[in-house]
Amino acid sequence: MEDGVEEKTEDKIIVKDVSKLKKEPNMKDYDEACASFSEDTYKKEIEFFDDGTLNAAYNAVDRHLKTPLKDKTALVWIGDDSEKTFTYKELAEESNRFANVLAKHGVQRGERVFLFLPRVPELYISFLGGMKFGAVVGTLFAAFGPSAILDRVGNAEASVLVTSPELKPRIDEIRDQMPALKHIIVTGDYEPGDGELSFDKEMASVGPDFDIVHMPPKERAYMLYTSGTTGKPKGVIHSHYDILHQHLTAKWILDLHEDDVYWCTADPGWVTGIAYGILGPWSNGVTSIVDGRRFDPENWYKVIHDHKVSVWYTAPTAIRMMMREGPELAKKYDLSSLRFLASVGEPLNPEAVWWSLENIGLPFHDNFWQTETGGILIANYASMDIKPGSMGKPFPGITAAIVDKDGNEKPVGKAGDLAIRPGWPSLMIEIWKNKEKFDEYFRNGWYITGDKARVDEDGYFWFIGRADDVINTSGHRVGPFEIESALIEHPAVAEAGVIGKPDELRGEIIKAFITLQKGYDPSDDLMEDIKKFIKKRLAGHAYPKEIEVRDSLPKTRSGKIMRRVLKAQELGEDIGDTSTLEDD
Ligand code: ATP
Ligand code: MG
């Protein structure tokens, strides 16, 4: 068991004793941090230029060149058969070169530069360089096919696209449909064709110094497309001012200290890979691990073991995969370098928190945010007791509430829309060319997340489900999360996705899709046992009438179970936009 963490089974709380943690947390007392919080708390951590402007990439990397961090390893990149490291100075210089390449080819500030790359060093360098240049940088998952790319790069009217020789054929297919695209920059060993440039040759043709562009705080910096449940992906635009929130949340929530070896498993095609895979952690001066390989539980443990990772930020899907492999695999490796674990992206089932406490000796700290929010909003903190299954409490300075359809606050314990008072630095500044969509997020002075939640008497927030996933059965509104969590408490159940299936009598009935842990077969006896098991844990109306065993559940590329796909499959309907659906 983690030093300073003691299990209190009666009321299912993990009690923290700050004096016994492996390291004194940056935020020692949540209530105190909330009470003394002001805009200045953010600002004093960040360097602004004399004219009041800033640059997020400068803050993440170049700011440190005046300090001993200059020659410290910023990036450890792990590839299939090689590893590379970059110091802060090297990252600063390489990204300057990339900015110079953009300048050399007449790219203008504000133009969109898209990165269609696997997790290779060039991705990180181009991201930083594009931001230093004042371009609007967009990232894409390397698994995207031509139409997903066209929906994004075409819609954003990007003028530059950086890609690899392996991925470029997918661009060739749609190139004539992207008239705004002027330059394709190809990494690696590649002889560029017409209208193409070689990344390596271009980088070698320019110098390592660049006058970083001074950006007004709310000028466009980077953009990401969320898939949206229906319709085309929408381009969420973020500003350089994001860095204020990303820096402080990385410091206070992920508890990053300069001597940490930090590993964020997220791909920069997803917002987590930008905010907490690039900007937030480097701004805090850590050594960051990027594993460019396919994720695989044994490799994960090996990375932690070999690189002595101390802080690990991952997603529930990864944790459930580790649970599926069983504790034996975890025990094969020395994971004692770890001191803080965090999770985001989907609800973190309480079972996963208890599992990690038992098998890794540390609990996962769940936190909540969205592409649109640019940084974590609600979290479990190193110094705060954990109620497994809860997302935790709002970050200091953030006001969160549960509101009704008119935007009026609901009382403690009542389910409703999770809403946040706008004004934190990293809230998106626009949806690309879609003001109407942007305006839809706001109601009665609140930013509406589109998620249902409740808050308890201690101020902890509990996720119920995406508004669209909430099930209406016999007059009861039931969130899929509690049912899924009950299911995976059964030793044979690895993952669960729960949907509402239209029913004449009850409105909807609850159907669960599950995958099994290794070594279990879906026999009648087992299914009976699972049914009996959850009957004891759930209220009559919340109990799934149907349970179906699947080999795998449909997930997004960031690892989230896609309940809308399960539902569409069940009903034989069109599954809508599937560009973010994982295809293996
Ligand atoms: P899209 O908006 O395109 O449909 P998405 O909402 O999955 O995709 P993200 O912005 O990456 O895209 O995810 C944010 C959503 O993920 C939240 O609105 C919430 O539904 C879910 N989520 C994130 N973190 C948590 C968490 N800790 N607990 C529960 N749900 C979470
Ligand atoms: Mg969303």
Side-chain angles (χ1 to χ4, degrees):
M1 194 146 302
E2 181 194 9
D3 293 341
V5 174
E6 135 197 354
E7 187 177 337
K8 210 168 128 194
T9 39
E10 315 88 74
D11 48 5
K12 296 271 192 185
I13 291 181
I14 295 173
V15 177
K16 301 286 192 68
D17 177 346
V18 175
S19 68
K20 291 196 192 135
L21 294 174
K22 281 190 186 171
K23 193 165 216 145
E24 182 170 62
N26 287 321
M27 190 182 80
K28 290 161 203 65
D29 184 290
Y30 173 76
D31 294 324
E32 203 284 313
C34 290
S36 59
F37 198 88
S38 75
E39 186 85 7
D40 260 6
T41 319
Y42 281 125
K43 284 189 172 159
K44 65 174 193 265
E45 302 263 335
I46 293 298
E47 203 178 309
F48 287 81
F49 300 121
D50 289 342
D51 54 1
T53 61
L54 82 169
N55 190 296
Y58 169 84
N59 270 284
V61 177
D62 301 59
R63 173 162 62 97
H64 303 309
L65 303 190
K66 298 180 293 234
T67 76
L69 287 176
K70 178 177 166 194
D71 296 313
K72 181 186 160 167
T73 301
L75 169 63
V76 177
W77 174 78
I78 306 167
D80 281 325
D81 30 45
S82 63
E83 285 190 17
K84 276 188 198 160
T85 62
F86 293 80
T87 62
Y88 275 93
K89 178 163 180 273
E90 286 166 338
L91 265 192
E93 291 184 350
E94 290 299 298
S95 51
N96 279 347
R97 281 183 198 276
F98 185 78
N100 280 323
V101 170
L102 296 179
K104 176 181 160 187
H105 291 283
V107 176
Q108 299 294 309
R109 171 173 171 167
E111 285 186 28
R112 274 74 58 215
V113 171
F114 267 67
L115 313 177
F116 181 45
L117 288 169
R119 285 184 302 280
V120 289
E122 289 90 337
L123 170 58
Y124 296 81
I125 288 163
S126 315
F127 186 88
L128 293 165
M131 297 265 287
K132 287 179 170 183
F133 180 81
V136 183
V137 186
T139 54
L140 302 163
F141 281 105
F144 280 153
S147 67
I149 301 164
L150 183 60
D151 279 345
R152 294 161 173 82
V153 180
N155 174 263
E157 297 169 319
S159 57
V160 179
L161 183 70
V162 185
T163 190
S164 70
E166 297 74 33
L167 297 178
K168 204 189 74 76
R170 294 188 220 158
I171 308 297
D172 296 339
E173 275 187 47
I174 47 169
R175 173 129 200 213
D176 58 359
Q177 296 171 64
M178 299 187 289
L181 187 59
K182 288 186 273 204
H183 309 285
I184 296 182
I185 307 178
V186 189
T187 59
D189 191 10
Y190 179 79
E191 209 34 67
D194 244 7
E196 296 171 2
L197 299 166
S198 149
F199 186 92
D200 289 353
K201 284 187 195 141
E202 289 301 320
M203 293 286 276
S205 77
V206 294
D209 299 315
F210 179 76
D211 273 338
I212 296 174
V213 177
H214 291 199
M215 304 298 285
K218 293 292 174 146
E219 190 163 324
R220 294 173 183 156
Y222 66 99
M223 70 189 292
L224 279 154
Y225 280 81
T226 74
S227 60
T229 351
T230 52
K232 289 283 181 207
K234 42 188 196 294
V236 174
I237 309 265
H238 280 283
S239 72
H240 283 262
Y241 208 54
D242 276 26
I243 190 73
L244 274 73
H245 190 68
Q246 291 164 345
H247 172 90
L248 201 64
T249 47
K251 182 169 177 173
W252 284 7
I253 298 173
L254 303 177
D255 197 37
L256 297 182
H257 292 64
E258 277 181 9
D259 57 358
D260 274 314
V261 176
Y262 165 73
W263 184 24
C264 168
T265 57
D267 187 287
W270 179 35
V271 68
T272 307
I274 292 178
Y276 301 105
I278 300 178
L279 297 170
W282 280 330
S283 182
N284 280 280
V286 301
T287 294
S288 201
I289 306 282
V290 170
D291 186 348
R293 300 169 300 176
R294 255 189 103 77
F295 290 130
D296 155 89
E298 177 134 24
N299 273 347
W300 298 334
Y301 291 131
K302 234 171 119 23
V303 167
I304 294 166
H305 172 116
D306 292 349
H307 294 273
K308 302 203 167 22
V309 172
S310 53
V311 178
W312 194 27
Y313 193 24
T314 188
T317 181
I319 303 165
R320 289 191 301 256
M321 268 170 84
M322 297 189 316
M323 291 166 73
R324 196 171 179 173
E325 291 300 320
E328 305 72 36
L329 192 63
K331 303 241 149 62
K332 265 174 67 183
Y333 294 92
D334 178 7
L335 308 178
S336 62
S337 56
L338 288 171
R339 71 168 182 83
F340 189 79
L341 309 179
S343 163
V344 72
E346 272 195 299
L348 182 63
N349 318 88
E351 185 68 8
V353 180
W354 296 114
W355 185 91
S356 76
L357 186 57
E358 190 175 324
N359 295 295
I360 305 182
L362 299 165
F364 271 98
H365 295 75
D366 186 22
N367 56 63
F368 169 91
W369 59 296
Q370 307 176 300
T371 305
E372 296 88 335
T373 72
I376 304 169
L377 298 178
I378 299 179
N380 286 286
Y381 307 88
S383 58
M384 194 177 84
D385 295 352
I386 299 176
K387 296 190 183 185
S390 161
M391 308 190 282
K393 295 190 189 183
F395 191 68
I398 298 280
T399 306
I402 304 301
V403 303
D404 65 18
K405 60 179 181 358
D406 301 317
N408 297 314
E409 274 186 63
K410 288 186 136 189
V412 164
K414 294 280 180 228
D417 291 316
L418 175 60
I420 316 288
R421 193 68 82 193
W424 73 96
S426 64
L427 174 61
M428 63 173 170
I429 51 171
E430 60 185 301
I431 299 282
W432 181 254
K433 290 197 170 165
N434 197 341
K435 174 147 188 344
E436 205 184 320
K437 192 87 220 168
F438 181 81
D439 291 341
E440 277 174 20
Y441 282 93
F442 301 91
R443 186 195 305 161
N444 196 24
W446 293 101
Y447 164 81
I448 306 292
T449 60
D451 290 311
K452 299 277 181 190
R454 63 182 172 82
V455 59
D456 71 16
E457 60 288 352
D458 299 322
Y460 282 77
F461 281 75
W462 298 78
F463 184 82
I464 293 173
R466 290 167 182 266
D468 306 333
D469 289 340
V470 172
I471 301 161
N472 203 340
T473 182
S474 307
H476 297 279
R477 295 181 60 77
V478 185
F481 176 50
E482 60 166 322
I483 308 170
E484 292 163 5
S485 290
L487 279 160
I488 75 162
E489 271 181 52
H490 188 283
V493 181
E495 288 189 309
V498 167
I499 62 160
K501 189 175 155 182
D503 180 81
E504 264 181 32
L505 198 64
R506 299 187 181 85
E508 285 181 310
I509 58 155
I510 299 171
K511 171 153 189 179
F513 297 85
I514 59 171
T515 63
L516 297 181
Q517 298 283 8
K518 283 205 162 152
Y520 285 93
D521 288 319
S523 65
D524 290 347
D525 281 355
L526 178 64
M527 296 312 287
E528 269 317 302
D529 193 60
I530 294 174
K531 283 181 186 159
K532 257 202 253 144
F533 179 88
I534 50 168
K535 247 185 186 157
K536 277 196 236 137
R537 283 167 173 74
L538 294 168
H541 65 265
Y543 162 78
K545 300 283 172 296
E546 293 178 25
I547 302 181
E548 182 179 323
V549 178
R550 290 268 186 104
D551 290 337
S552 65
L553 299 180
K555 300 212 185 87
T556 63
R557 295 189 193 285
S558 48
K560 306 178 192 210
I561 296 169
M562 291 180 97
R563 291 171 196 80
R564 71 174 168 92
V565 171
L566 286 170
K567 188 163 184 170
Q569 287 169 343
E570 179 69 23
L571 304 181
E573 288 171 352
D574 176 20
I575 53 179
D577 185 287
T578 53
S579 51
T580 57
L581 182 67
E582 205 180 49
D583 44 13
D584 44 323

